[in-house]
Amino acid sequence: MIMSGKPLVITSGLFICLVFVAGFSFFNANLAVSQVPVGDQNAAKAAPAAQTNQATVESQKSVEDSNDKLTALNPSGTVQVDAANKRLLVKGRVVLREGQLEMLACPRQTKEHESIIAVDAPAQLIHAGLLALGAKTGTGVKFQPKFQPPTGEKLLINISWKDAQGKDHKVSAQSWVRNATRRYFVASLPKIDEELKFPEESGLIWDNRQKELLWYGHMTQEKKAELKKTVTDPRLQASIDKFFNDSQFAEMKADFVFVGSLFEADPDSGKQRYLADGGDLICVANFSTATIDVATASTNTGEDLLFEAYTERIPPVETPITLEIQLAEATAPKP
């Protein structure tokens, strides 16, 4: 999907407007953030109430909340800046554990049906927080005339949460995403002339017209061995081996980059709107409207989505989580 719009450049004036809504002011050329205590009641009264899942906020009394160097970007404290460590903390909850993905995370009440996490803040505020840390925006994916993957400053994203026993956990965002297995795997075999027949329970499908062998989903070692006993043609055996290798669970390896999304005039009101607020906050399928995207070719076409939720690694739906988004350069070893 390509949406029209111009590359997002947040000027100091526009950025001040953004943080003013959240009860903030920015003073220097680097957009350093003035300190406002998390949960400040006066700030909460002075600014509009954010769309926040209060249960999420109250239940997330984790280690970062005790850090007096954190700065809240909104009255509810769901987005916090740790300027010293160049990281952004964003609170949300698990909303999906199974199925193909377009997003790792979306703003609440947008794209929960294809995102693992819904965060309690607009995408525009996360963008503002990254600018405050000194992050540089890149360019969104381009599909025409030639595909160009998204570019931007590399980000390290971790997810922290407490389990039912109160134990703390922290993992990389990539560990919750795996290569898609809930799809058809295809082997083209144009030199096979005969029409092949496979029992329905085998799971193999032969398309004689297209000369393609198909398999759906994850293949176990046992199933591979069983199928290879039923065929003698080495081309079919090689296809089964390929299906097995391609359908194994594999953690996503792609890096996340700060793209920056787009502004576009609303056709009805004429007012500028930040397009990632519609859901495209942290994408694992390429969208030109993404705030944060994966730095690899990843289709956003329904049946061909490349990634899915790594179900076994994700805590129950409604579990409160904190996203820790950090500039990769801030973690690099000093020369």
Side-chain angles (χ1 to χ4, degrees):
M1 178 180 70
I2 301 176
M3 298 191 69
S4 62
K6 57 185 178 180
L8 173 62
V9 178
I10 293 188
T11 64
S12 58
L14 175 57
F15 192 59
I16 289 172
C17 288
L18 290 175
V19 294
F20 176 77
V21 172
F24 252 81
S25 296
F26 284 76
F27 291 107
N28 62 25
N30 292 323
L31 300 176
V33 187
S34 61
Q35 295 293 317
V36 175
V38 175
D40 185 286
Q41 296 302 311
N42 292 328
K45 293 177 182 178
Q51 289 187 348
T52 302
N53 184 327
Q54 194 58 37
T56 297
V57 178
E58 291 301 323
S59 62
Q60 291 196 52
K61 302 301 182 183
S62 53
V63 291
E64 68 265 21
D65 294 309
S66 64
N67 188 336
D68 60 7
K69 293 183 180 180
L70 294 179
T71 301
L73 292 187
N74 55 353
S76 58
T78 59
V79 181
Q80 303 168 353
V81 169
D82 178 358
N85 296 302
K86 289 196 172 185
R87 62 180 186 151
L88 195 66
L89 303 175
V90 183
K91 295 182 180 180
R93 59 192 172 90
V94 174
V95 292
L96 182 147
R97 299 182 66 249
E98 293 187 55
Q100 291 181 303
L101 300 171
E102 290 189 355
M103 316 292 154
L104 169 73
C106 66
R108 194 163 64 90
Q109 297 182 347
T110 58
K111 293 187 174 182
E112 282 89 338
H113 63 291
E114 50 203 5
S115 306
I116 297 175
I117 295 164
V119 304
D120 293 314
Q124 192 168 176
L125 190 60
I126 281 80
H127 182 131
L130 289 170
L131 288 182
L133 294 175
K136 302 295 189 296
T137 59
T139 58
V141 62
K142 291 181 174 61
F143 298 100
Q144 300 294 338
K146 181 181 178 181
F147 177 83
Q148 295 180 39
T151 67
E153 184 148 1
K154 181 180 174 182
L155 302 173
L156 301 182
I157 304 178
N158 290 309
I159 307 167
S160 61
W161 76 98
K162 289 182 181 292
D163 62 24
Q165 289 71 44
K167 182 180 178 181
D168 289 315
H169 298 267
K170 182 176 177 180
V171 298
S172 71
Q174 282 89 341
S175 72
W176 280 16
V177 181
R178 68 188 179 202
N179 294 340
T181 60
R182 292 177 173 86
R183 65 182 182 91
Y184 279 101
F185 297 90
V186 181
S188 179
L189 299 168
K191 294 184 179 180
I192 290 184
D193 296 325
E194 67 270 24
E195 184 171 349
L196 302 175
K197 299 289 185 181
F198 295 100
E200 184 176 346
E201 62 270 19
S202 75
L204 292 173
I205 302 172
W206 174 247
D207 183 339
N208 193 52
R209 182 177 179 182
Q210 299 295 329
K211 300 298 181 184
E212 291 177 342
L213 187 66
L214 293 88
W215 168 266
Y216 182 86
H218 170 66
M219 183 183 288
T220 64
Q221 182 75 46
E222 293 74 19
K223 188 66 176 179
K224 181 183 80 165
E226 173 192 322
L227 290 174
K228 292 188 72 172
K229 289 178 181 177
T230 66
V231 297
T232 56
D233 190 315
R235 293 169 297 181
L236 295 176
Q237 293 216 342
S239 296
I240 292 169
D241 284 333
K242 184 177 187 302
F243 292 154
F244 173 78
N245 293 332
D246 292 349
S247 68
Q248 297 311 294
F249 298 140
E251 180 180 306
M252 187 182 84
K253 301 301 182 185
D255 292 326
F256 288 105
V257 291
F258 180 31
V259 174
S261 194
L262 304 166
F263 269 119
E264 185 177 74
D266 185 283
D268 298 321
S269 67
K271 294 181 179 179
Q272 293 290 307
R273 59 181 180 178
Y274 183 72
L275 296 184
D277 282 339
D280 304 340
L281 173 56
I282 304 177
C283 300
V284 295
N286 299 143
F287 284 90
S288 60
T289 50
T291 298
I292 299 169
D293 206 344
V294 285
T296 189
S298 181
T299 178
N300 60 33
T301 304
E303 294 181 355
D304 298 323
L305 293 173
L306 298 185
F307 298 110
E308 66 187 19
Y310 210 138
T311 305
E312 297 80 0
R313 296 180 175 182
I314 303 171
V317 168
E318 296 297 334
T319 298
I321 64 90
T322 297
L323 288 172
E324 178 188 79
I325 307 173
Q326 192 166 26
L327 277 60
E329 67 172 18
T331 65
K334 302 300 181 184

